[in-house]
Every structure is written in structure tokens, then in C-alpha cells.
Amino acid sequence: MTDIPETNQVTGTQASPETAETLTFTLEEGQSGRADKVLCTLLDISRNRSRELIEQGRVLLQDTPVKPKTDLKPGQTITVHIPPEQSLDVLPEDMDLDIVYEDSDIIVINKPSGLVVHPAPGHVTGTLVNGLLAHCTDLSGINGVMRPGIVHRIDKDTSGLLVVAKNDLAHQSLADQLAKKTAHREYRAIVHHPFPHTHGTINAPIGRDEKDRQSMAVTAKNAKPAVTHFEVLENFKNYAYVLCRLETGRTHQIRVHMKYIGHPVAGDPKYGPRKTLESHGQLLHASALELDHPRTGKHMRFEAPLEPEFAAILHDLETEVIQ
């Protein structure tokens, strides 16, 4: 591991006074109802954040601050003053990183379940980014101070592979590969209920859940295309072991898609049933990653084994294999 001086850190703000925004919306058909709900849709934010802006007097209807329950109607114009966010210091932290591959352009990490990938306001320590800053000084700055080098992410309780860019050339190349679908990601999951078929494709758009802004859902409203291919590796009495290949990379994509087809990921506290396999989060693992090296163009494939808890649960289920 490279020794980095204690002064190494990423310091900055997510928004300065110069970049603070004032937004004006004229409501259209379908954009009516409680002000806090309408604001969630307009800004794609959580209900808590919506109420926070309203309670701070930053949401105006004809120059008058609205209340969360204010009834908004089509044709009305509202103004939203979005404040600059606080300064944030993202500091390096010594961390035992499982580095699968590293060179001067990229790092491939096998992330353990339970580790958050990048800091967020109010949570700027104990993340993979903090560990990366202690490991190396050169990370791409394209995604700003909170997500240096992060090209794609995996959820806190999902384990497995992700690639990090050390410079802007690598970052742009990797982002282009993901956008053009020339980089490939494979996941392994244990899901509820055996399948009557061996493979399939889920092509269903994903957006914010209108009833729960902290969750994603298959929806036609304010959604983006999402495609997941899956292959059934084994069927058990009450579960199945599947391989999923992402064609797109939406937030919680596999978890949302598997729930949508009636096979939620086992152990998933957000999208799965309460009665499930005992685990520390969803049994979902990013098992393989394929990409072209951003500088040499060489095709590369990386694989990571299942974590011990996942492997042990799978081993126990294999006594119930359906032939």
C-alpha cells in the first residue's frame, strides 16, 4: 500500500453561492396536489428534502411561501430557491482494500458488503472513497469532491467488483464504455421462488417510486429504460440462484427488476419480503466485470468469489436442488 501524507484530502463545496439555483416552474396537467409531493416530482428529491426546502421558506407561490399541504394546481407558477450546500472535507482513511487489479489508470476493487461507496452530505467518513484517498493521490475529478474516480457504484449491502478511474482520460473512457454497453457487469443473486424457465430478459423502465421517494420502482412516469438479462443457475425448494447481466445501470436495477417479476432478492430489506433468508442485507454479488483498458484498449475480465456468508447460505440451499 502506498504511503500518503496526512495532508492528502479532497476539499470543496458541492455548490457555491455562484452556483446556487433559483428555479421557476409553471405547473402542467398531472402536476397538482400537496406542495411537498409536487416538489418531489419536479426536483426528483426525497419527501424529507422537499419539506425541508418548504419549511425554510424557499418555495414560493406568487411570492408567498407555501406550506407542505398547500394545494397546487396546473397553471400556477412556483419559485424554488435552492441554497448552496455546505463545505465538505473528504479525508483519507486507512482501509484494508481488496484490490483485484491496479495500474496508473484504473483500480478494480472487490467491495465487501456493508461498505458505502462514496460520501454524502452528513456522511463523509467510512466510505470506499475515504479508503481510496488513503491509498492513492491520483483519482479522476470528473464527479467532484464527493465521488472522485467513481465511474459506477454498487449498493452498500451488495458485494463485489467496481472499477475506479485514476485520471480523467480513464474516467471518460470507462463512462463511454458503460454508455455504449461495451463494458459488461455480471451479478449473482439468491432470489425468492424457483423459476419455470431457464433464462429471461426484463425490459421495464425504472424511476422514483411515487409512493416512497426513497425507493425505485418499475414505472412509466419520469423513468429511464432499464434492461436486465438473467439465467437460472439452480432452482431450490423456495429460492433460486441466478446470474444477472446488466444492459443498463439504473439505481437498484436488479433488486427492482427481480421484485417486479415476482422473484425479489433474498435478504433485501427494501424490496424483499420480511420472511426471507437470514443475512446481513440482500444476497447480491457483483461477480464479474469486463472492460477495455482505457489507455491500451486491451480487453480485460475480472472475477470475484462470493463472500463467505453468501457462499454458506448457497451451500445450505444446495441440499434442496430441484432437478
Side-chain angles (χ1 to χ4, degrees):
M1 181 174 290
T2 306
D3 292 329
I4 303 299
E6 293 183 356
T7 55
N8 178 40
Q9 65 181 39
V10 175
T11 304
T13 60
Q14 284 195 290
S16 66
E18 292 76 15
T19 59
E21 291 183 281
T22 296
L23 304 176
T24 300
F25 301 92
T26 298
L27 302 181
E28 301 176 354
E29 291 296 330
Q31 297 177 329
S32 61
R34 289 175 53 118
D36 55 352
K37 290 185 177 181
V38 172
L39 198 62
C40 287
T41 301
L42 291 175
L43 299 181
D44 193 20
I45 58 176
S46 69
R47 182 77 73 86
N48 286 340
R49 178 58 173 157
S50 172
R51 288 176 177 171
E52 184 180 71
L53 291 172
I54 290 171
E55 289 168 359
Q56 291 173 354
R58 299 182 182 277
V59 184
L60 308 178
L61 173 62
Q62 297 177 344
D63 297 325
T64 300
V66 304
K67 296 180 179 180
K69 294 183 179 181
T70 297
D71 186 24
L72 299 179
K73 300 176 181 179
Q76 293 179 325
T77 298
I78 62 172
T79 302
V80 185
H81 298 289
I82 301 176
E85 301 202 25
Q86 297 178 346
S87 295
L88 300 167
D89 293 340
V90 183
L91 302 173
E93 298 177 31
D94 287 332
M95 195 174 292
D96 186 15
L97 300 176
D98 184 358
I99 299 174
V100 177
Y101 174 85
E102 180 177 11
D103 61 24
S104 60
D105 293 299
I106 62 173
I107 311 176
V108 178
I109 302 288
N110 182 20
K111 185 190 82 68
S113 174
L115 179 63
V116 175
V117 171
H118 58 76
H123 184 83
V124 296
T125 62
T127 74
L128 175 61
V129 164
N130 297 103
L132 287 168
L133 289 173
H135 175 73
C136 60
T137 57
D138 47 349
L139 291 175
S140 162
I142 287 178
N143 272 343
V145 299
M146 300 298 276
R147 305 184 184 188
I150 302 301
V151 183
H152 66 108
R153 59 181 291 276
I154 53 179
D155 299 328
K156 173 187 174 183
D157 292 327
T158 298
S159 58
L161 298 170
L162 77 163
V163 60
V164 178
K166 284 190 170 185
N167 52 61
D168 289 357
L169 179 149
H171 195 126
Q172 190 61 60
S173 171
L174 294 170
D176 288 345
Q177 290 180 52
L178 289 170
K180 295 175 181 177
K181 303 180 178 62
T182 57
H184 303 289
R185 290 164 288 170
E186 296 179 3
Y187 289 73
R188 294 184 180 238
I190 297 175
V191 301
H192 283 262
H193 315 305
F195 285 81
H197 43 269
T198 59
H199 62 277
T201 293
I202 309 166
N203 187 345
I206 292 176
R208 289 283 175 189
D209 190 327
E210 294 182 50
K211 297 180 180 179
D212 178 7
R213 301 297 296 178
Q214 300 298 319
S215 299
M216 308 301 288
V218 170
T219 175
K221 189 174 182 179
N222 297 319
K224 295 181 179 180
V227 179
T228 303
H229 307 282
F230 69 89
E231 175 186 346
V232 181
L233 301 177
E234 288 183 292
N235 273 324
F236 310 117
K237 181 179 179 181
N238 297 307
Y239 299 91
Y241 182 39
V242 298
L243 172 66
C244 295
R245 295 182 177 89
L246 290 181
E247 187 171 313
T248 55
R250 308 306 175 204
T251 300
H252 301 169
Q253 179 171 318
I254 292 174
R255 298 164 66 188
V256 171
H257 269 174
M258 298 312 291
K259 175 186 177 181
Y260 178 66
I261 65 170
H263 294 270
V265 177
D268 190 333
K270 183 180 288 287
Y271 300 105
R274 292 185 179 181
K275 186 177 181 181
T276 187
L277 295 171
E278 187 173 343
S279 65
H280 293 91
Q282 61 269 7
L283 290 166
L284 182 61
H285 175 68
S287 58
L289 175 66
E290 289 188 44
L291 55 89
D292 294 331
H293 191 277
R295 192 174 299 275
T296 68
K298 178 183 178 182
H299 187 72
M300 309 179 82
R301 178 179 172 89
F302 306 98
E303 297 184 1
L306 300 175
E307 288 195 317
E309 180 184 62
F310 193 132
I313 292 172
L314 181 61
H315 180 268
D316 290 341
L317 287 174
E318 285 175 339
T319 62
E320 306 173 352
V321 172
I322 298 175
Q323 301 297 330

